[in-house]
Amino acid sequence: MFGEGVLVDLVPYGQRFIDQEHRWLNDEGVFWWAVGGRWIVTRAEIERDRAEGKGDADRRLVFGMQTKDGTPIGLIGFNWLALHHRTAMLTAFIGEREYWGGGYGTDGLLLLLEYAFDWLDLRRVWLMTMSLNERVTRQMEKVGFQLEARRREATWANSGWHDMLSYGLLREEWSGREAMIEQLGLTAQK
């Protein structure tokens, strides 16, 4: 196990998560993760990408997110990690809809930020999302991320143009995982 949270644990992104990828990536929920993109991903494409080593493993670090009972619900990590700049671009999604809006993603994010700032000694973590994605914008703001840039009408989604938003969190703005858990009132599910 990599990190133990209040609601979720972060674990190596292994076969239990890979087995869910096809379903997760073809679900309507990926629309939000992919900033409005809609596509169909075949199992063959997923297997080919893995076999070809698509993506730069030196710059990507992803963990599986699972509930306390071990149910795989999604992934969280860094799409782009630049250790020489001490910065990383966040990637995350919960593929299991019944876990949306229950604090699971926030708990995973707090674990990842603790790792980023306290273990990797990063200076900055950032991400991009579309303005239509109100769940992510609320989550970023409540955890302390600052809106750094707005690319006006940069993505087409749901029959309209939407802004791309870039959020960032600097190390000195991070109050720490325990303080954030208390501030947010994050508690274990009963």
Side-chain angles (χ1 to χ4, degrees):
M1 182 164 324
F2 169 75
E4 292 184 51
V6 175
L7 302 171
V8 299
D9 295 324
L10 302 186
V11 298
Y13 194 79
Q15 195 61 48
R16 292 182 318 120
F17 295 88
I18 293 168
D19 290 344
Q20 305 302 319
E21 279 184 350
H22 181 258
R23 183 172 53 82
W24 287 345
L25 292 176
N26 285 290
D27 184 81
E28 179 69 15
V30 84
F31 166 84
W32 300 103
W33 174 66
V35 293
R38 297 180 195 268
W39 62 77
I40 296 171
V41 180
T42 66
R43 287 188 190 277
E45 286 175 296
I46 292 169
E47 290 170 9
R48 184 179 59 246
D49 286 350
R50 288 208 175 279
E52 292 173 0
K54 197 168 195 174
D56 189 341
D58 291 338
R59 292 187 291 169
R60 190 162 196 269
L61 179 62
V62 177
F63 300 100
M65 199 175 345
Q66 67 182 25
T67 61
K68 297 309 260 179
D69 69 2
T71 302
I73 62 170
L75 66 80
I76 193 163
F78 303 118
N79 263 346
W80 183 74
L81 182 61
L83 292 175
H84 61 285
H85 292 298
R86 294 176 52 209
T87 190
M89 179 183 179
L90 178 68
T91 186
F93 73 80
I94 293 183
E96 302 296 338
R97 289 176 180 235
E98 62 268 27
Y99 295 95
W100 290 4
Y104 295 88
T106 298
D107 191 31
L109 177 59
L110 296 179
L111 284 167
L112 188 67
L113 290 172
E114 178 179 58
Y115 178 65
F117 294 127
D118 296 349
W119 291 91
L120 294 179
D121 193 29
L122 296 184
R123 169 106 174 87
R124 181 173 185 276
V125 175
W126 67 283
L127 73 129
M128 290 190 72
T129 191
M130 60 183 166
S131 57
L132 186 60
N133 197 345
E134 294 173 0
R135 278 195 348 248
V136 168
T137 60
R138 277 193 315 269
Q139 180 189 44
M140 291 306 108
E141 290 166 2
K142 76 180 179 184
V143 172
F145 279 73
Q146 301 295 312
L147 178 62
E148 297 180 332
R150 176 182 297 269
R151 291 179 40 219
R152 296 173 300 135
E153 297 186 4
T155 190
W156 177 263
N158 278 8
S159 302
W161 290 104
H162 300 279
D163 297 349
M164 287 295 296
L165 307 175
S166 179
Y167 283 90
L169 181 66
L170 298 175
R171 178 189 192 94
E172 59 267 16
E173 297 167 340
W174 170 242
S175 57
R177 183 171 164 269
E178 292 304 319
M180 289 304 305
I181 288 170
E182 184 176 329
Q183 178 183 326
L184 298 172
L186 199 58
T187 59
Q189 300 290 326
K190 294 176 180 162

PDB file of all heavy atoms in Angstrom, residues 139-166:
ATOM      1  N   GLN A 139     -13.640  21.441  -6.006  1.00  0.00           N
ATOM      2  CA  GLN A 139     -12.661  20.656  -5.257  1.00  0.00           C
ATOM      3  C   GLN A 139     -11.315  21.378  -5.200  1.00  0.00           C
ATOM      4  O   GLN A 139     -10.705  21.462  -4.135  1.00  0.00           O
ATOM      5  CB  GLN A 139     -12.478  19.272  -5.903  1.00  0.00           C
ATOM      6  CG  GLN A 139     -11.472  18.410  -5.177  1.00  0.00           C
ATOM      7  CD  GLN A 139     -11.144  17.147  -5.930  1.00  0.00           C
ATOM      8  OE1 GLN A 139     -10.942  17.175  -7.143  1.00  0.00           O
ATOM      9  NE2 GLN A 139     -11.102  16.040  -5.215  1.00  0.00           N
ATOM     10  N   MET A 140     -10.863  21.900  -6.309  1.00  0.00           N
ATOM     11  CA  MET A 140      -9.565  22.584  -6.324  1.00  0.00           C
ATOM     12  C   MET A 140      -9.575  23.787  -5.383  1.00  0.00           C
ATOM     13  O   MET A 140      -8.638  23.994  -4.620  1.00  0.00           O
ATOM     14  CB  MET A 140      -9.211  23.044  -7.745  1.00  0.00           C
ATOM     15  CG  MET A 140      -8.902  21.921  -8.710  1.00  0.00           C
ATOM     16  SD  MET A 140      -7.614  20.796  -8.132  1.00  0.00           S
ATOM     17  CE  MET A 140      -8.557  19.330  -7.748  1.00  0.00           C
ATOM     18  N   GLU A 141     -10.627  24.554  -5.442  1.00  0.00           N
ATOM     19  CA  GLU A 141     -10.705  25.755  -4.610  1.00  0.00           C
ATOM     20  C   GLU A 141     -10.788  25.411  -3.126  1.00  0.00           C
ATOM     21  O   GLU A 141     -10.144  26.057  -2.297  1.00  0.00           O
ATOM     22  CB  GLU A 141     -11.868  26.633  -5.071  1.00  0.00           C
ATOM     23  CG  GLU A 141     -11.569  27.248  -6.432  1.00  0.00           C
ATOM     24  CD  GLU A 141     -12.769  27.857  -7.135  1.00  0.00           C
ATOM     25  OE1 GLU A 141     -13.886  27.851  -6.555  1.00  0.00           O
ATOM     26  OE2 GLU A 141     -12.590  28.332  -8.271  1.00  0.00           O
ATOM     27  N   LYS A 142     -11.536  24.374  -2.762  1.00  0.00           N
ATOM     28  CA  LYS A 142     -11.652  24.036  -1.335  1.00  0.00           C
ATOM     29  C   LYS A 142     -10.357  23.466  -0.768  1.00  0.00           C
ATOM     30  O   LYS A 142     -10.100  23.569   0.420  1.00  0.00           O
ATOM     31  CB  LYS A 142     -12.845  23.115  -1.063  1.00  0.00           C
ATOM     32  CG  LYS A 142     -12.666  21.674  -1.439  1.00  0.00           C
ATOM     33  CD  LYS A 142     -13.924  20.870  -1.107  1.00  0.00           C
ATOM     34  CE  LYS A 142     -13.766  19.431  -1.501  1.00  0.00           C
ATOM     35  NZ  LYS A 142     -14.997  18.672  -1.278  1.00  0.00           N
ATOM     36  N   VAL A 143      -9.513  22.890  -1.627  1.00  0.00           N
ATOM     37  CA  VAL A 143      -8.242  22.327  -1.177  1.00  0.00           C
ATOM     38  C   VAL A 143      -7.125  23.382  -1.218  1.00  0.00           C
ATOM     39  O   VAL A 143      -6.055  23.153  -0.690  1.00  0.00           O
ATOM     40  CB  VAL A 143      -7.897  21.075  -2.023  1.00  0.00           C
ATOM     41  CG1 VAL A 143      -6.521  20.547  -1.752  1.00  0.00           C
ATOM     42  CG2 VAL A 143      -8.924  19.978  -1.758  1.00  0.00           C
ATOM     43  N   GLY A 144      -7.407  24.536  -1.822  1.00  0.00           N
ATOM     44  CA  GLY A 144      -6.428  25.622  -1.798  1.00  0.00           C
ATOM     45  C   GLY A 144      -5.777  25.963  -3.123  1.00  0.00           C
ATOM     46  O   GLY A 144      -4.934  26.858  -3.190  1.00  0.00           O
ATOM     47  N   PHE A 145      -6.131  25.265  -4.185  1.00  0.00           N
ATOM     48  CA  PHE A 145      -5.569  25.597  -5.494  1.00  0.00           C
ATOM     49  C   PHE A 145      -6.065  26.978  -5.915  1.00  0.00           C
ATOM     50  O   PHE A 145      -7.191  27.371  -5.600  1.00  0.00           O
ATOM     51  CB  PHE A 145      -6.006  24.573  -6.547  1.00  0.00           C
ATOM     52  CG  PHE A 145      -5.201  23.310  -6.549  1.00  0.00           C
ATOM     53  CD1 PHE A 145      -5.345  22.376  -5.531  1.00  0.00           C
ATOM     54  CD2 PHE A 145      -4.313  23.030  -7.581  1.00  0.00           C
ATOM     55  CE1 PHE A 145      -4.626  21.192  -5.535  1.00  0.00           C
ATOM     56  CE2 PHE A 145      -3.590  21.846  -7.593  1.00  0.00           C
ATOM     57  CZ  PHE A 145      -3.739  20.936  -6.574  1.00  0.00           C
ATOM     58  N   GLN A 146      -5.222  27.689  -6.645  1.00  0.00           N
ATOM     59  CA  GLN A 146      -5.561  29.015  -7.151  1.00  0.00           C
ATOM     60  C   GLN A 146      -5.791  28.943  -8.659  1.00  0.00           C
ATOM     61  O   GLN A 146      -5.060  28.238  -9.374  1.00  0.00           O
ATOM     62  CB  GLN A 146      -4.408  29.998  -6.882  1.00  0.00           C
ATOM     63  CG  GLN A 146      -4.061  30.145  -5.416  1.00  0.00           C
ATOM     64  CD  GLN A 146      -5.184  30.754  -4.628  1.00  0.00           C
ATOM     65  OE1 GLN A 146      -5.749  31.767  -5.033  1.00  0.00           O
ATOM     66  NE2 GLN A 146      -5.519  30.144  -3.497  1.00  0.00           N
ATOM     67  N   LEU A 147      -6.787  29.685  -9.137  1.00  0.00           N
ATOM     68  CA  LEU A 147      -6.996  29.811 -10.577  1.00  0.00           C
ATOM     69  C   LEU A 147      -5.861  30.662 -11.127  1.00  0.00           C
ATOM     70  O   LEU A 147      -5.676  31.804 -10.702  1.00  0.00           O
ATOM     71  CB  LEU A 147      -8.352  30.454 -10.878  1.00  0.00           C
ATOM     72  CG  LEU A 147      -8.666  30.674 -12.352  1.00  0.00           C
ATOM     73  CD1 LEU A 147      -8.723  29.340 -13.109  1.00  0.00           C
ATOM     74  CD2 LEU A 147      -9.983  31.432 -12.505  1.00  0.00           C
ATOM     75  N   GLU A 148      -5.061  30.091 -12.023  1.00  0.00           N
ATOM     76  CA  GLU A 148      -3.887  30.785 -12.551  1.00  0.00           C
ATOM     77  C   GLU A 148      -4.085  31.297 -13.971  1.00  0.00           C
ATOM     78  O   GLU A 148      -3.468  32.272 -14.366  1.00  0.00           O
ATOM     79  CB  GLU A 148      -2.666  29.855 -12.523  1.00  0.00           C
ATOM     80  CG  GLU A 148      -2.275  29.443 -11.136  1.00  0.00           C
ATOM     81  CD  GLU A 148      -1.087  28.525 -11.088  1.00  0.00           C
ATOM     82  OE1 GLU A 148      -0.840  27.773 -12.061  1.00  0.00           O
ATOM     83  OE2 GLU A 148      -0.381  28.553 -10.057  1.00  0.00           O
ATOM     84  N   ALA A 149      -4.927  30.613 -14.737  1.00  0.00           N
ATOM     85  CA  ALA A 149      -5.116  31.036 -16.128  1.00  0.00           C
ATOM     86  C   ALA A 149      -6.481  30.569 -16.623  1.00  0.00           C
ATOM     87  O   ALA A 149      -7.006  29.554 -16.182  1.00  0.00           O
ATOM     88  CB  ALA A 149      -4.020  30.463 -17.016  1.00  0.00           C
ATOM     89  N   ARG A 150      -7.014  31.334 -17.534  1.00  0.00           N
ATOM     90  CA  ARG A 150      -8.274  31.004 -18.189  1.00  0.00           C
ATOM     91  C   ARG A 150      -8.050  31.175 -19.692  1.00  0.00           C
ATOM     92  O   ARG A 150      -7.753  32.264 -20.148  1.00  0.00           O
ATOM     93  CB  ARG A 150      -9.376  31.944 -17.711  1.00  0.00           C
ATOM     94  CG  ARG A 150     -10.712  31.728 -18.410  1.00  0.00           C
ATOM     95  CD  ARG A 150     -11.750  32.728 -17.934  1.00  0.00           C
ATOM     96  NE  ARG A 150     -12.038  32.575 -16.520  1.00  0.00           N
ATOM     97  CZ  ARG A 150     -13.001  31.798 -16.027  1.00  0.00           C
ATOM     98  NH1 ARG A 150     -13.774  31.102 -16.831  1.00  0.00           N
ATOM     99  NH2 ARG A 150     -13.196  31.715 -14.732  1.00  0.00           N
ATOM    100  N   ARG A 151      -8.161  30.077 -20.422  1.00  0.00           N
ATOM    101  CA  ARG A 151      -8.109  30.129 -21.889  1.00  0.00           C
ATOM    102  C   ARG A 151      -9.551  30.165 -22.357  1.00  0.00           C
ATOM    103  O   ARG A 151     -10.251  29.156 -22.302  1.00  0.00           O
ATOM    104  CB  ARG A 151      -7.355  28.914 -22.434  1.00  0.00           C
ATOM    105  CG  ARG A 151      -5.877  28.986 -22.098  1.00  0.00           C
ATOM    106  CD  ARG A 151      -5.067  27.803 -22.598  1.00  0.00           C
ATOM    107  NE  ARG A 151      -5.440  27.344 -23.913  1.00  0.00           N
ATOM    108  CZ  ARG A 151      -5.500  26.045 -24.267  1.00  0.00           C
ATOM    109  NH1 ARG A 151      -5.213  25.116 -23.387  1.00  0.00           N
ATOM    110  NH2 ARG A 151      -5.837  25.715 -25.475  1.00  0.00           N
ATOM    111  N   ARG A 152      -9.969  31.327 -22.813  1.00  0.00           N
ATOM    112  CA  ARG A 152     -11.369  31.542 -23.149  1.00  0.00           C
ATOM    113  C   ARG A 152     -11.811  30.690 -24.329  1.00  0.00           C
ATOM    114  O   ARG A 152     -11.102  30.576 -25.324  1.00  0.00           O
ATOM    115  CB  ARG A 152     -11.615  33.024 -23.449  1.00  0.00           C
ATOM    116  CG  ARG A 152     -11.361  33.893 -22.224  1.00  0.00           C
ATOM    117  CD  ARG A 152     -11.438  35.369 -22.515  1.00  0.00           C
ATOM    118  NE  ARG A 152     -10.445  35.734 -23.507  1.00  0.00           N
ATOM    119  CZ  ARG A 152     -10.699  36.521 -24.550  1.00  0.00           C
ATOM    120  NH1 ARG A 152     -11.881  37.041 -24.732  1.00  0.00           N
ATOM    121  NH2 ARG A 152      -9.747  36.808 -25.405  1.00  0.00           N
ATOM    122  N   GLU A 153     -12.999  30.074 -24.164  1.00  0.00           N
ATOM    123  CA  GLU A 153     -13.648  29.267 -25.206  1.00  0.00           C
ATOM    124  C   GLU A 153     -12.661  28.339 -25.928  1.00  0.00           C
ATOM    125  O   GLU A 153     -12.614  28.277 -27.137  1.00  0.00           O
ATOM    126  CB  GLU A 153     -14.365  30.183 -26.195  1.00  0.00           C
ATOM    127  CG  GLU A 153     -15.475  30.985 -25.544  1.00  0.00           C
ATOM    128  CD  GLU A 153     -16.296  31.780 -26.530  1.00  0.00           C
ATOM    129  OE1 GLU A 153     -16.080  31.675 -27.754  1.00  0.00           O
ATOM    130  OE2 GLU A 153     -17.199  32.496 -26.051  1.00  0.00           O
ATOM    131  N   ALA A 154     -11.909  27.588 -25.139  1.00  0.00           N
ATOM    132  CA  ALA A 154     -10.851  26.738 -25.688  1.00  0.00           C
ATOM    133  C   ALA A 154     -11.267  25.291 -25.916  1.00  0.00           C
ATOM    134  O   ALA A 154     -10.524  24.536 -26.531  1.00  0.00           O
ATOM    135  CB  ALA A 154      -9.636  26.778 -24.761  1.00  0.00           C
ATOM    136  N   THR A 155     -12.434  24.897 -25.424  1.00  0.00           N
ATOM    137  CA  THR A 155     -12.866  23.514 -25.628  1.00  0.00           C
ATOM    138  C   THR A 155     -14.358  23.483 -25.955  1.00  0.00           C
ATOM    139  O   THR A 155     -15.138  24.279 -25.453  1.00  0.00           O
ATOM    140  CB  THR A 155     -12.555  22.638 -24.385  1.00  0.00           C
ATOM    141  OG1 THR A 155     -12.768  21.272 -24.695  1.00  0.00           O
ATOM    142  CG2 THR A 155     -13.383  23.021 -23.185  1.00  0.00           C
ATOM    143  N   TRP A 156     -14.720  22.549 -26.823  1.00  0.00           N
ATOM    144  CA  TRP A 156     -16.105  22.365 -27.256  1.00  0.00           C
ATOM    145  C   TRP A 156     -16.673  21.180 -26.503  1.00  0.00           C
ATOM    146  O   TRP A 156     -16.130  20.073 -26.562  1.00  0.00           O
ATOM    147  CB  TRP A 156     -16.141  22.111 -28.756  1.00  0.00           C
ATOM    148  CG  TRP A 156     -17.511  21.840 -29.294  1.00  0.00           C
ATOM    149  CD1 TRP A 156     -18.059  20.614 -29.525  1.00  0.00           C
ATOM    150  CD2 TRP A 156     -18.492  22.791 -29.670  1.00  0.00           C
ATOM    151  NE1 TRP A 156     -19.332  20.747 -30.023  1.00  0.00           N
ATOM    152  CE2 TRP A 156     -19.622  22.095 -30.129  1.00  0.00           C
ATOM    153  CE3 TRP A 156     -18.538  24.187 -29.662  1.00  0.00           C
ATOM    154  CZ2 TRP A 156     -20.777  22.725 -30.568  1.00  0.00           C
ATOM    155  CZ3 TRP A 156     -19.685  24.807 -30.109  1.00  0.00           C
ATOM    156  CH2 TRP A 156     -20.783  24.079 -30.554  1.00  0.00           C
ATOM    157  N   ALA A 157     -17.750  21.398 -25.759  1.00  0.00           N
ATOM    158  CA  ALA A 157     -18.372  20.317 -24.993  1.00  0.00           C
ATOM    159  C   ALA A 157     -19.842  20.646 -24.788  1.00  0.00           C
ATOM    160  O   ALA A 157     -20.197  21.808 -24.565  1.00  0.00           O
ATOM    161  CB  ALA A 157     -17.679  20.155 -23.644  1.00  0.00           C
ATOM    162  N   ASN A 158     -20.680  19.632 -24.842  1.00  0.00           N
ATOM    163  CA  ASN A 158     -22.122  19.804 -24.620  1.00  0.00           C
ATOM    164  C   ASN A 158     -22.704  20.908 -25.497  1.00  0.00           C
ATOM    165  O   ASN A 158     -23.440  21.771 -25.029  1.00  0.00           O
ATOM    166  CB  ASN A 158     -22.428  20.063 -23.147  1.00  0.00           C
ATOM    167  CG  ASN A 158     -22.475  18.795 -22.342  1.00  0.00           C
ATOM    168  OD1 ASN A 158     -22.145  17.716 -22.834  1.00  0.00           O
ATOM    169  ND2 ASN A 158     -22.857  18.902 -21.099  1.00  0.00           N
ATOM    170  N   SER A 159     -22.342  20.890 -26.754  1.00  0.00           N
ATOM    171  CA  SER A 159     -22.872  21.825 -27.758  1.00  0.00           C
ATOM    172  C   SER A 159     -22.548  23.286 -27.479  1.00  0.00           C
ATOM    173  O   SER A 159     -23.325  24.177 -27.807  1.00  0.00           O
ATOM    174  CB  SER A 159     -24.390  21.661 -27.901  1.00  0.00           C
ATOM    175  OG  SER A 159     -24.704  20.334 -28.261  1.00  0.00           O
ATOM    176  N   GLY A 160     -21.398  23.533 -26.875  1.00  0.00           N
ATOM    177  CA  GLY A 160     -21.005  24.911 -26.635  1.00  0.00           C
ATOM    178  C   GLY A 160     -19.532  25.033 -26.311  1.00  0.00           C
ATOM    179  O   GLY A 160     -18.866  24.060 -25.988  1.00  0.00           O
ATOM    180  N   TRP A 161     -19.023  26.256 -26.435  1.00  0.00           N
ATOM    181  CA  TRP A 161     -17.628  26.543 -26.113  1.00  0.00           C
ATOM    182  C   TRP A 161     -17.491  26.821 -24.622  1.00  0.00           C
ATOM    183  O   TRP A 161     -18.337  27.493 -24.027  1.00  0.00           O
ATOM    184  CB  TRP A 161     -17.137  27.750 -26.910  1.00  0.00           C
ATOM    185  CG  TRP A 161     -17.000  27.445 -28.358  1.00  0.00           C
ATOM    186  CD1 TRP A 161     -17.829  27.827 -29.368  1.00  0.00           C
ATOM    187  CD2 TRP A 161     -15.971  26.656 -28.955  1.00  0.00           C
ATOM    188  NE1 TRP A 161     -17.394  27.321 -30.563  1.00  0.00           N
ATOM    189  CE2 TRP A 161     -16.247  26.598 -30.345  1.00  0.00           C
ATOM    190  CE3 TRP A 161     -14.850  25.989 -28.475  1.00  0.00           C
ATOM    191  CZ2 TRP A 161     -15.446  25.907 -31.231  1.00  0.00           C
ATOM    192  CZ3 TRP A 161     -14.051  25.303 -29.369  1.00  0.00           C
ATOM    193  CH2 TRP A 161     -14.344  25.268 -30.732  1.00  0.00           C
ATOM    194  N   HIS A 162     -16.416  26.311 -24.035  1.00  0.00           N
ATOM    195  CA  HIS A 162     -16.157  26.498 -22.608  1.00  0.00           C
ATOM    196  C   HIS A 162     -14.694  26.861 -22.404  1.00  0.00           C
ATOM    197  O   HIS A 162     -13.829  26.474 -23.191  1.00  0.00           O
ATOM    198  CB  HIS A 162     -16.503  25.230 -21.822  1.00  0.00           C
ATOM    199  CG  HIS A 162     -17.944  24.851 -21.985  1.00  0.00           C
ATOM    200  ND1 HIS A 162     -18.941  25.441 -21.256  1.00  0.00           N
ATOM    201  CD2 HIS A 162     -18.545  23.987 -22.836  1.00  0.00           C
ATOM    202  CE1 HIS A 162     -20.098  24.946 -21.632  1.00  0.00           C
ATOM    203  NE2 HIS A 162     -19.888  24.051 -22.586  1.00  0.00           N
ATOM    204  N   ASP A 163     -14.442  27.596 -21.338  1.00  0.00           N
ATOM    205  CA  ASP A 163     -13.086  28.011 -21.010  1.00  0.00           C
ATOM    206  C   ASP A 163     -12.286  26.836 -20.456  1.00  0.00           C
ATOM    207  O   ASP A 163     -12.839  25.961 -19.782  1.00  0.00           O
ATOM    208  CB  ASP A 163     -13.096  29.123 -19.960  1.00  0.00           C
ATOM    209  CG  ASP A 163     -13.780  30.396 -20.438  1.00  0.00           C
ATOM    210  OD1 ASP A 163     -14.073  30.505 -21.650  1.00  0.00           O
ATOM    211  OD2 ASP A 163     -14.006  31.277 -19.594  1.00  0.00           O
ATOM    212  N   MET A 164     -10.986  26.851 -20.720  1.00  0.00           N
ATOM    213  CA  MET A 164     -10.064  25.925 -20.063  1.00  0.00           C
ATOM    214  C   MET A 164      -9.476  26.670 -18.872  1.00  0.00           C
ATOM    215  O   MET A 164      -9.046  27.814 -19.003  1.00  0.00           O
ATOM    216  CB  MET A 164      -8.933  25.504 -21.002  1.00  0.00           C
ATOM    217  CG  MET A 164      -9.376  24.551 -22.086  1.00  0.00           C
ATOM    218  SD  MET A 164      -9.920  22.967 -21.449  1.00  0.00           S
ATOM    219  CE  MET A 164      -8.420  22.364 -20.740  1.00  0.00           C
ATOM    220  N   LEU A 165      -9.481  26.035 -17.714  1.00  0.00           N
ATOM    221  CA  LEU A 165      -8.995  26.646 -16.494  1.00  0.00           C
ATOM    222  C   LEU A 165      -7.744  25.923 -16.015  1.00  0.00           C
ATOM    223  O   LEU A 165      -7.703  24.696 -15.980  1.00  0.00           O
ATOM    224  CB  LEU A 165     -10.068  26.579 -15.401  1.00  0.00           C
ATOM    225  CG  LEU A 165     -11.437  27.141 -15.766  1.00  0.00           C
ATOM    226  CD1 LEU A 165     -12.422  26.894 -14.631  1.00  0.00           C
ATOM    227  CD2 LEU A 165     -11.352  28.608 -16.125  1.00  0.00           C
ATOM    228  N   SER A 166      -6.753  26.689 -15.642  1.00  0.00           N
ATOM    229  CA  SER A 166      -5.525  26.129 -15.097  1.00  0.00           C
ATOM    230  C   SER A 166      -5.442  26.513 -13.629  1.00  0.00           C
ATOM    231  O   SER A 166      -5.522  27.691 -13.281  1.00  0.00           O
ATOM    232  CB  SER A 166      -4.316  26.680 -15.856  1.00  0.00           C
ATOM    233  OG  SER A 166      -3.121  26.160 -15.312  1.00  0.00           O
TER     234      SER A 166
END
